């Protein structure tokens, strides 16, 4: 039995995860959007902690790879969190009651 190269195996899993994620996200109903965004923000906060740990790695061998990956993870997760909060805020604004304008009293 031939063995599959681990890099090819991981790349195949990554590509499958992209397809599954795409179809799962686009099949979510609008009512579930806000709770899912909250979970996504929580996951991204864990990624930021891991990215900060990787960026602070003190390894002498190829430490720049870990630091670069850590900086990239922190940057991308920060953008994801900020965007998630903006989208959640916009979604919640859709459910607010609109205030009726009050009539202006005329001075006479």
């Amino acid at each position: 039995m031939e063995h599959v190269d681990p890099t090819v195996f991981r790349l195949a899993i990554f590509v499958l995860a992209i397809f599954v994620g795409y179809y799962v996200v686009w099949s979510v109903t609008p009512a579930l959007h806000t709770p899912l965004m909250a979970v996504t923000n929580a996951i991204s906060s864990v990624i930021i902690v891991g990215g900060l740990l990787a960026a602070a790695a003190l390894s002498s061998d190829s430490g720049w790879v870990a630091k670069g990956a850590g900086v990239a993870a922190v940057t991308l997760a920060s953008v994801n969190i900020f965007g998630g909060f903006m989208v959640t805020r916009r979604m919640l604004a859709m459910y607010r009651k609109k205030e009726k304008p009050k009539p202006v009293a005329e001075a006479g």
Side-chain angles (χ1 to χ4, degrees):
M1 179 178 237
E2 248 181 84
H3 292 285
V4 178
D5 184 25
T7 305
V8 173
F9 182 70
R10 290 180 183 132
L11 183 63
I13 290 174
F14 181 69
V15 170
L16 288 173
I18 289 173
F19 283 115
V20 168
Y22 175 80
Y23 286 110
V24 166
V25 167
W26 284 108
S27 64
V28 170
T29 61
L32 292 176
H33 185 268
T34 303
L36 287 176
M37 287 303 296
V39 172
T40 303
N41 287 342
I43 292 170
S44 292
S45 66
V46 173
I47 292 171
I48 285 184
V49 171
L52 288 172
L53 290 174
L58 300 175
S59 174
S60 60
D61 297 339
S62 69
W64 62 272
V65 175
K67 289 180 190 242
V71 169
V74 169
T75 302
L76 293 174
S78 298
V79 169
N80 190 26
I81 289 174
F82 178 74
F85 279 121
M86 294 303 293
V87 169
T88 303
R89 183 177 176 194
R90 188 171 180 192
M91 290 285 290
L92 290 175
M94 291 172 45
Y95 295 106
R96 281 198 189 116
K97 291 182 181 178
K98 295 182 181 175
E99 295 180 16
K100 295 181 182 177
K102 295 181 181 178
V104 179
E106 294 183 23

